[in-house]
Amino acid sequence: GAGVSQSPSNKVTEKGKDVELRCDPISGHTALYWYRQSLGQGLEFLIYFQGNSAPDKSGLPSDRFSAERTGGSVSTLTIQRTQQEDSAVYLCASSLAGRTSGYTDTQYFGPGTRLTVL
Amino acid sequence: AQSVTQPDIHITVSEGASLELRCNYSYGATPYLFWYVQSPGQGLQLLLKYFSGDTLVQGIKGFEAEFKRSQSSFNLRKPSVHWSDAAEYFCAVAPNTGNQFYFGTGTSLTVIP
């Protein structure tokens, strides 16, 4: 596609349920990033993929959060046993080369998924 | 620990006035530095970035930023603000080791006629 797409655009779930958020990066981009944007707290880096590998998962806030990327393309962020504090906008971004280029390439952001946990 | 500070939560300027948004980072070595803008209802867009070399960086939409190593700052400037510049601005840092990105909490810009 022309840009980074994310689905769903909005997700309302009940506390304790699991959710999956999807990101489709720009075709050919090897690097993929997940962020969380909470009200009043700015953007929080969650995880970075280079290809299908995530060199550093330390940004994930708890073990309820996991992410995977398959085929060097689509990525899924899974939140298990959701809590109200997980409510936020989850942003995905992709770039052509990422860390291997020293971040000289631009990250392109998707529109985000707004997650509301009741 | 690395951190990015944007001291101004909200700034209001008159259209045509100059603008400076502050950003300070905490990191031992010179990291990669970025400014992003998020307009209402839209995603983040890269304004400019600094990796090395000339400490004054030109970006899109007439923005520029200056890296000052002695002050650990990377302030964003624009000589004359337009009403369309009203948005949320984020400073970001990527240490040149590791794989993380750190964003500041953002500065909300209001432009008044």
Side-chain angles (χ1 to χ4, degrees):
Chain A
V4 178
S5 61
Q6 293 184 245
S7 60
S9 56
N10 279 284
K11 177 70 177 179
V12 180
T13 190
E14 294 179 347
K15 178 182 173 181
K17 295 287 180 68
D18 297 351
V19 295
E20 283 189 352
L21 311 180
R22 176 187 169 105
C23 172
D24 282 272
I26 293 173
S27 178
H29 280 195
T30 63
L32 186 147
Y33 309 77
W34 281 100
Y35 299 88
R36 178 168 68 175
Q37 186 173 25
S38 303
L39 191 62
Q41 296 187 29
L43 276 89
E44 177 186 10
F45 171 84
L46 298 179
I47 193 168
Y48 156 73
F49 285 92
Q50 188 70 47
N52 292 333
S53 300
D56 185 349
K57 300 181 179 181
S58 62
L60 296 175
S62 78
D63 58 7
R64 296 185 295 104
F65 287 73
S66 63
E68 66 174 12
R69 189 180 185 195
T70 55
S73 181
V74 173
S75 177
T76 302
L77 177 69
T78 301
I79 309 173
Q80 296 179 310
R81 306 180 302 281
T82 52
Q83 303 294 313
Q84 288 182 332
E85 61 262 28
D86 299 334
S87 297
V89 176
Y90 289 83
L91 294 168
C92 174
S94 72
S95 69
L96 193 59
R99 179 71 193 157
T100 57
S101 73
Y103 298 120
T104 56
D105 55 341
T106 300
Q107 288 186 42
Y108 295 87
F109 282 79
T113 293
R114 181 175 298 278
L115 174 66
T116 303
V117 182
L118 301 176
Chain B
Q2 296 87 351
S3 68
V4 182
T5 303
Q6 292 181 247
D8 305 304
I9 297 173
H10 186 244
I11 285 183
T12 299
V13 299
S14 298
E15 190 168 15
S18 63
L19 171 70
E20 182 169 29
L21 302 183
R22 295 183 290 166
C23 174
N24 293 91
Y25 65 90
S26 170
Y27 186 63
T30 300
Y32 304 117
L33 298 160
F34 308 80
W35 274 100
Y36 286 84
V37 60
Q38 186 176 33
S39 299
Q42 299 187 26
L44 279 89
Q45 181 182 21
L46 179 69
L47 286 176
L48 46 78
K49 55 191 176 186
Y50 172 80
F51 297 104
S52 64
D54 192 347
T55 57
L56 185 62
V57 180
Q58 301 298 320
I60 62 172
K61 304 185 180 185
F63 285 92
E64 66 178 25
E66 184 172 13
F67 168 60
K68 292 186 177 180
R69 185 191 307 274
S70 62
Q71 299 176 18
S72 294
S73 69
F74 188 57
N75 294 348
L76 182 71
R77 301 194 295 247
K78 187 169 184 178
S80 179
V81 170
H82 188 262
W83 64 267
S84 61
D85 293 325
E88 188 88 15
Y89 291 82
F90 293 93
C91 179
V93 164
N96 50 24
T97 59
N99 296 286
Q100 298 225 2
F101 256 80
Y102 300 92
F103 278 79
T105 51
T107 297
S108 176
L109 175 65
T110 297
V111 181
I112 56 177

